[in-house]
Each structure stands twice: as structure tokens, then as C-alpha cells.
């Protein structure tokens, strides 16, 4: 279609749909093809959608430092609100993965505030909590972790318990740390953090001369 009828109206949509298909197939030529498309296209909506494809492809390859700025630009682009919301979440994830804790806190706070019913709310909360923890704002981090711990259905609950216990240990609140680790072991006996939990429970007992 593109070769035989390059200037026909259906070809304009075909160019974009071809890029979507290349993305779904993990085609290694996708990024080069999107660059070519962006050089020719002047349609703001098409350009925004192709920039989103570029960001998604980079995100899939875990190239967060490259994907993040594109997601940031897309927040003011000609996209649907749903796509902008998804871009906001991905921006926060990129920031957290590249060590930009202040940026991640700001982005995830905006996401959490505006999307209280989102299916990825728990994921945003754990990421914001980890970013707060990285910044040394333990009070804010514990607030996010406790919010997740209160939700028995949250897949992030196990990680929240582990990180809460570690923060309490850093704050030298050892009885509370032990309680958090014991809750982790009770509810998630096969947790990958079980060894860490047992170590710190034993360490605290030793420090308290509870031989």
C-alpha cells in the first residue's frame, strides 16, 4: 500500500499502523522508522502518538534515561487524557529507575492525587515510598508503606512490610522493627526477604542481650 499508493489517504494511517505493529513485534528497526516518520509528518496528533511509541519501545528495553524525557514532553502533547495519565506513570517509573528521587516523588504524587481508583495505584505508592526513603524522608515513606500494608489485596504489601521494617531499624526503633519483620515472616513465609528478616530479628535480640 505504501509503495504503490504513497500519497493516498489510507496510506497516511497505514504508516502509523505499521509502526504500531513493529512495536508489538519488538522490531529492532522501530526507532529508526519512527525517526523517518517524524521527519515527514506535520500532524501534531500523529507526531505525539509516534513519540509515545518511541518512549514505549525505549521503556520496554529498560532505557529509562532516554524514555523519561519523552514521557515528560508528552504530558503537554496532543494525546487523550488516558494516554497522558499512562505517560505520567511511566515518567515517574523512569525517574525512580534513574535515581531521580525528587522527580519521582513529585510525579507519583501528581499521579496518586489524580488517579485514586487507578489499577496501578499500589505500584505508584510503593515507588513513591521508595523515593521518599531514598531522600531520607522516613515519615512520608512509612505513611505510603502503611497505606499499602493496610490493603491485604495489594501485591506490593510484602515489599512495603520489608521496607517499613528496614526504616524502623534505621530509626533504631528495634521492637517495632522486629514486629514488622515478624509480620512479614508470618504472612509471607517464602518471601525472598525472609533471610534478611531473620538476621535483623536475631541481631536485635543479640543487642538486647536476649541470648
Amino acid at each position: 500500500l505504501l509503495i504503490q499508493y504513497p500519497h493516498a489517504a489510507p496510506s497516511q494511517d497505514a504508516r502509523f499502523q505499521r509502526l504500531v505493529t513493529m512495536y508489538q513485534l519488538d522490531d529492532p528497526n522501530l526507532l529508526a522508522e519512527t525517526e523517518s516518520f517524524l521527519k515527514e509528518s506535520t500532524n501534531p496528533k500523529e507526531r505525539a502518538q509516534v513519540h509515545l511509541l518511541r518512549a514505549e519501545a525505549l521503556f520496554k528495553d529498560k532505557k529509562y534515561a532516554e524514555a523519561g524525557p519523552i514521557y515528560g514532553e508528552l504530558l503537554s502533547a496532543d494525546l487523550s487524557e488516558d494516554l497522558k495519565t499512562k505517560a505520567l506513570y511511566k515518567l515517574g517509573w523512569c525517574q525512580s529507575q534513574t535515581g531521580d528521587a525528587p522527580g519521582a516523588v513529585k510525579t507519583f504524587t501528581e499521579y496518586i492525587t489524580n488517579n485514586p481508583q487507578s489499577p496501578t495505584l499500589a505500584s505508584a505508592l510503593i515507588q513513591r515510598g521508595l523515593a521518599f526513603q531514598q531522600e531520607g524522608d522516613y515519615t512520608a515513606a512509612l505513611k505510603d508503606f502503611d497505606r499499602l500494608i493496610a490493603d491485604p489485596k495489594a501485591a506490593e504489601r510484602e515489599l512495603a512490610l520489608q521496607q517499613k521494617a528496614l526504616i524502623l531499624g534505621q530509626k533504631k526503633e528495634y521492637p517495632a522493627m522486629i514486629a514488622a519483620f515478624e509480620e512479614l515472616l508470618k504472612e509471607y513465609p517464602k518471601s525472598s526477604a525472609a533471610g534478611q528478616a531473620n538476621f535483623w530479628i536475631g541481631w536485635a535480640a543479640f543487642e538486647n542481650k536476649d541470648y
Side-chain angles (χ1 to χ4, degrees), residues 5-174:
Y5 307 99
H7 303 296
S11 294
Q12 303 306 311
D13 185 54
R15 286 189 178 88
F16 176 72
Q17 295 303 329
R18 179 171 176 273
L19 293 176
V20 172
T21 306
M22 291 177 73
Y23 168 76
Q24 293 170 337
L25 293 172
D26 293 323
D27 193 309
N29 297 313
L30 174 63
L31 292 177
E33 291 288 334
T34 57
E35 286 182 10
S36 176
F37 180 95
L38 291 169
K39 287 179 182 178
E40 298 178 7
S41 175
T42 57
N43 185 303
K45 191 168 186 178
E46 283 184 350
R47 290 180 61 82
Q49 290 174 326
V50 172
H51 276 299
L52 179 59
L53 276 180
R54 283 179 63 81
E56 293 287 88
L58 292 166
F59 187 92
K60 190 185 290 187
D61 287 342
K62 298 183 179 180
K63 296 179 179 178
Y64 303 118
E66 296 177 53
I70 301 176
Y71 283 123
E73 292 174 3
L74 288 172
L75 299 179
S76 58
D78 188 5
L79 288 173
S80 68
E81 288 304 314
D82 180 59
L83 289 177
K84 286 183 179 180
T85 297
K86 291 178 180 177
L88 182 66
Y89 173 82
K90 293 286 183 70
L91 171 60
W93 186 275
C94 289
Q95 290 168 327
S96 66
Q97 295 300 309
T98 55
D100 181 9
V105 166
K106 181 180 177 181
T107 300
F108 279 124
T109 296
E110 182 180 348
Y111 182 85
I112 291 165
T113 302
N114 296 332
N115 303 278
Q117 304 301 322
S118 169
T120 54
L121 180 66
S123 176
L125 277 169
I126 195 71
Q127 291 300 324
R128 186 176 71 171
L130 292 170
F132 275 134
Q133 188 176 5
Q134 188 176 342
E135 285 194 295
D137 189 346
Y138 296 143
T139 300
L142 286 172
K143 187 175 180 180
D144 279 347
F145 295 149
D146 282 335
R147 185 172 169 183
L148 286 165
I149 292 167
D151 181 4
K153 295 181 180 180
E156 293 77 8
R157 189 170 182 272
E158 178 183 343
L159 179 57
L161 275 167
Q162 178 197 12
Q163 296 305 313
K164 176 181 179 178
L166 290 173
I167 287 177
L168 292 169
Q170 287 180 301
K171 296 177 70 176
K172 299 183 179 181
E173 297 178 16
Y174 299 129

Side-chain angles (χ1 to χ4, degrees), residues 172-191:
K172 299 183 179 181
E173 297 178 16
Y174 299 129
M177 177 194 75
I178 291 173
F181 272 134
E182 287 180 339
E183 185 177 357
L184 173 68
L185 291 171
K186 178 182 178 181
E187 301 200 25
Y188 305 96
K190 296 182 179 180
S191 172

